[in-house]
C-alpha cells in the first residue's frame, strides 16, 4: 500500500494552513489509506501532527517559505524554497505521485509549470471541475481559472484536455463538447469565442457547438469549454446560486432538510475536493483557499485516484494541431 508514490500536500497553502491541511492529511491517511508527504515549515507541521498523535505516520519535508495567498502568478515560482515550489519539485522528479494545494490558483499554476512541466504539445494548463448535471451525471467545466486570457489555440486545446478528462475520470467514451458563448447559434460570441469555435470544430472531438450559461448544469454536453476568466466566474456563480436557492427553499419550508442537504452535498467543494490542473506531466489538484480538513482530505483522495492517469494521453496529435492552427 505504502509503495504507491505519496500525494504531496502543501501544508502551508490556503487560508487555514497548516492546522486544517495537516488535519486533512491525517484524515486522508487514516480513513482512506492515502500515503501523504507534507511540505512546509517542519516545526509547525510537526506540532500539528502531534496534536493528532500522528507523528511518524506522515512524512514531512521542510520548506523555508510559504507563498502568500495574495501572490497571483509568476512571483511564486521565484520563491524556490516555498512549500509550493518544493512540493511541485518533488512530484516533478518522481518522489510524489500527485500534488495538492489550497494556495492561490495562479501561484500553483506557475509553480506546477516550472516544477512539474507541461505535457508535450500543451500551450497552457487548464483547470477542470466536474459539475453535477440535471441528468444525474456530471459535466466538466474547463478552464475554471488557470488561464484567464488564452488564445483561441489554447481554448481549442482546453477542449481536447477536457475530453481526455471526461474519458479518464467520468468514463465517457465519446464526450460531447460545447463552447460557452452568448448564444447557441454558430457565429455567436466575441472574437475569442468565434475563433475558438472554428478550431474546436476542426479538432478530433465531437463538437456540439455553442452552449449558453443556462446549459452549464443541464447535462446537454459532457465538456463545457471557456477561458479561465469566464470559467471561474461561472463556477463561483453556480456555487453562490445553489446556496441562495437552497436557503430560499429552506426558508419557504417546501422541501425536507434531508433532501436539501443531499442537494447541497452535490455542489459542496468537499464532495469533489477541488479542481484538477490538466496539461501537466503530473497530477495537480487545486483546493479552495478556504478549505477545511474534510475538503483537504477529499482533495488528497481525488489526487491519489488520478495519479498515473493522463488526460492528455492519446490526443497528442490533436494538441499539436491546435497549437499550430492559425
Amino acid at each position: 500500500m505504502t509503495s504507491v508514490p505519496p500525494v504531496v500536500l502543501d501544508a502551508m497553502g490556503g487560508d487555514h494552513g497548516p492546522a486544517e491541511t495537516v488535519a486533512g492529511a491525517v484524515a486522508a491517511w487514516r480513513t482512506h489509506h492515502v500515503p501523504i508527504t507534507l511540505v512546509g515549515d517542519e516545526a509547525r507541521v510537526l506540532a500539528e501532527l502531534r496534536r493528532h498523535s500522528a507523528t511518524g505516520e506522515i512524512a514531512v519535508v521542510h520548506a523555508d517559505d510559504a507563498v502568500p495567498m495574495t501572490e497571483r502568478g509568476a512571483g511564486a515560482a521565484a520563491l524556490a524554497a516555498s512549500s509550493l515550489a518544493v512540493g511541485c519539485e518533488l512530484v516533478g522528479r518522481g518522489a510524489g505521485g500527485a500534488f495538492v494545494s489550497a494556495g492561490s490558483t495562479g501561484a500553483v499554476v506557475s509553480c506546477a509549470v516550472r516544477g512539474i512541466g507541461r505535457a508535450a504539445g500543451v500551450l497552457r494548463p487548464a483547470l477542470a471541475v466536474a459539475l453535477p448535471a440535471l441528468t444525474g451525471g456530471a459535466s466538466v467545466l474547463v478552464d475554471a481559472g488557470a488561464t484567464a486570457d488564452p488564445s483561441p489555440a489554447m481554448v481549442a486545446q482546453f477542449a481536447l484536455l477536457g475530453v481526455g478528462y471526461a474519458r479518464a475520470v467520468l468514463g465517457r467514451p465519446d464526450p460531447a463538447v460545447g463552447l460557452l458563448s452568448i448564444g447557441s447559434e454558430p457565429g455567436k460570441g466575441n472574437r475569442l469565442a468565434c475563433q475558438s469555435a472554428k478550431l474546436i470544430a476542426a479538432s478530433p472531438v465531437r463538437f456540439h457547438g455553442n452552449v449558453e450559461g443556462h446549459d452549464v448544469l443541464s447535462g446537454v454536453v459532457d465538456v463545457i469549454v471557456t477561458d479561465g476568466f469566464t470559467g471561474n466566474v461561472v463556477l463561483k456563480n453556480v456555487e453562490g446560486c445553489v446556496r441562495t436557492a437552497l436557503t430560499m427553499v429552506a426558508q419557504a419550508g417546501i422541501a425536507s432538510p434531508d433532501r436539501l442537504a443531499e442537494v447541497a452535498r452535490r455542489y459542496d467543494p468537499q464532495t469533489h475536493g477541488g479542481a484538477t490542473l490538466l496539461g501537466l506531466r503530473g497530477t495537480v489538484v487545486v483546493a479552495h483557499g478556504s478549505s477545511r480538513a474534510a475538503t483537504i482530505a477529499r482533495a488528497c483522495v481525488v489526487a491519489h485516484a488520478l495519479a498515473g492517469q493522463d488526460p492528455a494521453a492519446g490526443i497528442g496529435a490533436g494538441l499539436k494541431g491546435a497549437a499550430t492552427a492559425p
Side-chain angles (χ1 to χ4, degrees), residues 8-13 37-41 45 59-63 82-84 86-87 90 99:
V8 178
L9 174 60
D10 172 17
M12 313 308 290
T37 295
L38 286 163
V39 181
D41 184 318
V45 172
V60 179
V61 173
H62 178 69
S82 72
S83 56
L84 263 180
V86 173
L90 287 172
F99 181 68

Side-chain angles (χ1 to χ4, degrees), residues 23-36 293 296-298 300-301:
V26 172
W29 168 243
R30 289 179 174 172
T31 304
H32 303 283
H33 309 295
V34 174
I36 305 286
I296 295 294
R298 179 59 186 163
C300 291
V301 171

Side-chain angles (χ1 to χ4, degrees), residues 10-223:
D10 172 17
M12 313 308 290
D15 299 329
H16 307 294
E20 295 292 332
T21 49
V22 172
V26 172
W29 168 243
R30 289 179 174 172
T31 304
H32 303 283
H33 309 295
V34 174
I36 305 286
T37 295
L38 286 163
V39 181
D41 184 318
E42 187 174 27
R44 295 179 64 189
V45 172
L46 288 174
E48 293 298 330
L49 285 172
R50 284 194 292 271
R51 289 183 58 223
H52 297 278
S53 301
T55 305
E57 292 184 35
I58 297 174
V60 179
V61 173
H62 178 69
D64 290 327
D65 299 320
V67 176
M69 291 297 287
T70 52
E71 174 55 60
R72 300 301 180 189
L79 292 174
S82 72
S83 56
L84 263 180
V86 173
C88 288
E89 190 271 336
L90 287 172
V91 174
R93 61 181 171 87
F99 181 68
V100 173
S101 178
S104 160
T105 298
V108 175
V109 172
S110 294
C111 289
V113 168
R114 181 168 181 171
I116 299 173
R118 292 191 293 266
V122 172
L123 295 172
R124 287 285 296 174
L127 280 172
V129 175
L131 295 175
L134 285 175
T135 54
S139 296
V140 180
L141 174 67
V142 57
D143 179 21
T147 304
D149 192 19
S151 67
M154 292 175 188
V155 175
Q157 285 197 349
F158 297 165
L160 290 159
L161 291 170
V163 164
Y165 182 92
R167 287 173 178 161
V169 179
L170 301 183
R172 311 284 168 78
D174 187 24
V177 176
L179 177 68
L180 191 62
S181 190
I182 59 172
S184 59
E185 302 87 352
K188 277 292 188 74
N190 58 12
R191 186 177 303 172
L192 176 63
C194 292
Q195 293 179 355
S196 299
K198 293 177 182 178
L199 296 182
I200 296 172
S203 67
V205 302
R206 183 159 64 92
F207 187 38
H208 171 88
N210 289 347
V211 294
E212 299 181 60
H214 55 70
D215 295 317
V216 170
L217 302 179
S218 70
V220 66
V221 292
D222 302 297
V223 179

Side-chain angles (χ1 to χ4, degrees), residues 204-270:
V205 302
R206 183 159 64 92
F207 187 38
H208 171 88
N210 289 347
V211 294
E212 299 181 60
H214 55 70
D215 295 317
V216 170
L217 302 179
S218 70
V220 66
V221 292
D222 302 297
V223 179
I224 301 162
V225 182
T226 187
D227 62 274
F229 179 88
T230 303
N232 195 260
V233 171
V234 167
L235 177 62
K236 291 175 180 176
N237 185 59
V238 166
E239 294 171 348
C241 285
V242 168
R243 284 195 299 268
T244 299
L246 291 177
T247 299
M248 294 174 69
V249 171
Q251 291 173 343
I254 56 179
S256 71
D258 288 345
R259 178 56 179 155
L260 290 175
E262 178 185 339
V263 174
R265 276 193 296 271
R266 295 190 68 202
Y267 294 91
D268 192 332
Q270 180 178 323

Side-chain angles (χ1 to χ4, degrees), residues 293-318:
T295 306
I296 295 294
R298 179 59 186 163
C300 291
V301 171
V302 170
H304 185 60
L306 288 175
Q309 297 194 56
D310 182 8
I315 57 175

